[in-house]
Amino acid sequence: KKKKKKKKKKKKISKKISLAALKYYLLNFSSSKDILFIPEKSISFDGNTGPYLQYTTARLNSLFLKSKGKEIRLEEDIIKNYKLNDDEVNLILQIFEFENALIRAQEFLSPLEICNVLYNIARQYNKFYHDNPVLKAGNIDLINLRLIISKAVHIILKNGLGLLGIEALEKM
């Protein structure tokens, strides 16, 4: 029974990844261009694809599961006394770009704008995550700051994927 459930779950996740690959690939082009669908490019977990964005949301979910028991709060003092590093600044700037991308997407009727900003946020987050420890950052205030940044990224990716009709995955 466990094997059957596991197989069913894998099949369900595979279907969600496949749909994400197809939807994202089609939405990630200007409507004025012809599209040549290349399945290998669309299903990659690396690069500007739906599965890459789903992978990033799953990675974030895993981080939050590991952080259980840690209170995500931020003391005002850390904001005053901590100098953000380049990765943190770049990621926060990408987060702020999300609203502008939504406005452009609506104005030009172009989901491509949403695709681009989500990819840039995910790419920047994965670089941040790779180069900056989150749960082992040292002091609790820095851990909380990085968890808050991670939570903001998670919310944006999940909502942005939802706008594109793509389901964010909790686990891969």
Side-chain angles (χ1 to χ4, degrees), residues 36-48:
L36 175 62
F37 180 64
I38 304 168
E40 297 78 28
K41 280 188 175 182
S42 72
I43 60 172
S44 174
F45 287 93
D46 220 9
N48 195 358

Side-chain angles (χ1 to χ4, degrees), residues 127-144:
K127 180 188 181 323
F128 162 79
Y129 183 84
H130 179 268
D131 296 344
N132 301 275
V134 176
L135 297 177
K136 296 180 181 176
N139 72 50
I140 191 71
D141 287 328
L142 186 54
I143 291 170
N144 280 327

